[in-house]
Amino acid sequence: MEEFAEAGGAMETHPTSVLWARDLDLEHENLETPRYQAIDPWGVCDMFRVMDAVEANEGDEDDAIILDPRGSGFREKGHMPGAIHVPYRSIVTAENQLVFKTKQELLELFESAGVDVTTQTPIICSCGSGVSVCHLVVALEQCGRNPTDFKTLIYDGSWTEWGADPDTPKVKYID
């Protein structure tokens, strides 16, 4: 996205609103509220699961590994405590950002970030809005991680939800 903006690509600058899960009418009782409901979702977790992981990891427990592929937003906007930065650009080739690096290169990348892709510890993947995180999950799968064992999770609320909630802990950098 950064390259797109630098190349003069059109960017929306008006504020957006976030649809909060707690605002959904999951019982479909009120026609005035949003009524989205996923059917049989798997491999997805909510903010409460991520909060459990953050709190456990701040102690001596090893509840989950949190990965975040955002670019400069990781440092500029902040991140979840304990999150490991694995930038999106690091999992794709320099020549074509739609092509993943080789399995060996990805394994070396995760290892250098301190991530054992074979661990039985759950890995929670989060990004800015829940989109680029999917590429990170595919990179983990390319390295041999099983996406269907409920040990690799996507936090679909991502930083959009976490960063906007005043009650969630955040790591922010002061330059």
Side-chain angles (χ1 to χ4, degrees):
M1 176 133 16
E2 292 163 355
E3 283 184 344
F4 180 76
E6 289 171 7
M11 302 288 286
E12 293 183 18
T13 57
H14 60 278
T16 59
S17 62
V18 175
L19 180 61
W20 294 83
R22 66 177 171 248
D23 295 334
L24 294 176
D25 176 13
L26 299 180
E27 303 302 320
H28 305 290
E29 294 174 359
N30 183 344
L31 297 178
E32 299 300 317
T33 59
R35 297 184 303 142
Y36 172 80
Q37 184 173 359
I39 298 172
D40 298 327
W42 59 270
V44 178
C45 67
D46 61 15
M47 181 171 23
F48 302 108
R49 172 64 180 100
V50 179
M51 183 66 83
D52 288 345
V54 167
E55 290 172 354
N57 291 348
E58 286 178 343
D60 289 335
E61 297 178 48
D62 194 17
D63 184 65
I65 298 164
I66 301 172
L67 301 182
D68 189 328
R70 288 179 295 151
S72 60
F74 183 84
R75 182 168 176 82
E76 291 173 4
K77 295 180 180 177
H79 59 84
M80 296 158 201
I84 299 171
H85 191 211
V86 181
Y88 172 79
R89 286 187 180 199
S90 69
I91 65 173
V92 295
T93 64
E95 301 79 36
N96 185 343
Q97 292 187 11
L98 299 177
V99 176
F100 285 97
K101 290 183 175 177
T102 66
K103 177 181 179 179
Q104 187 58 41
E105 290 171 315
L106 291 171
L107 285 167
E108 290 170 6
L109 169 71
F110 285 119
E111 183 180 335
S112 70
V115 179
D116 175 5
V117 298
T118 64
T119 184
Q120 289 302 302
T121 301
I123 296 179
I124 298 173
C125 301
S126 178
C127 63
S129 63
V131 177
S132 62
V133 71
C134 297
H135 298 94
L136 192 56
V137 171
V138 170
L140 288 165
E141 183 179 353
Q142 295 289 40
C143 291
R145 196 154 173 90
N146 181 351
T148 62
D149 68 359
F150 302 101
K151 297 279 187 187
T152 305
L153 303 169
I154 293 174
Y155 169 35
D156 61 347
S158 288
W159 187 254
T160 300
E161 181 178 54
W162 189 273
D165 191 310
D167 297 325
T168 55
K170 300 160 187 73
V171 175
K172 296 219 175 187
Y173 298 91
I174 300 172
D175 291 329

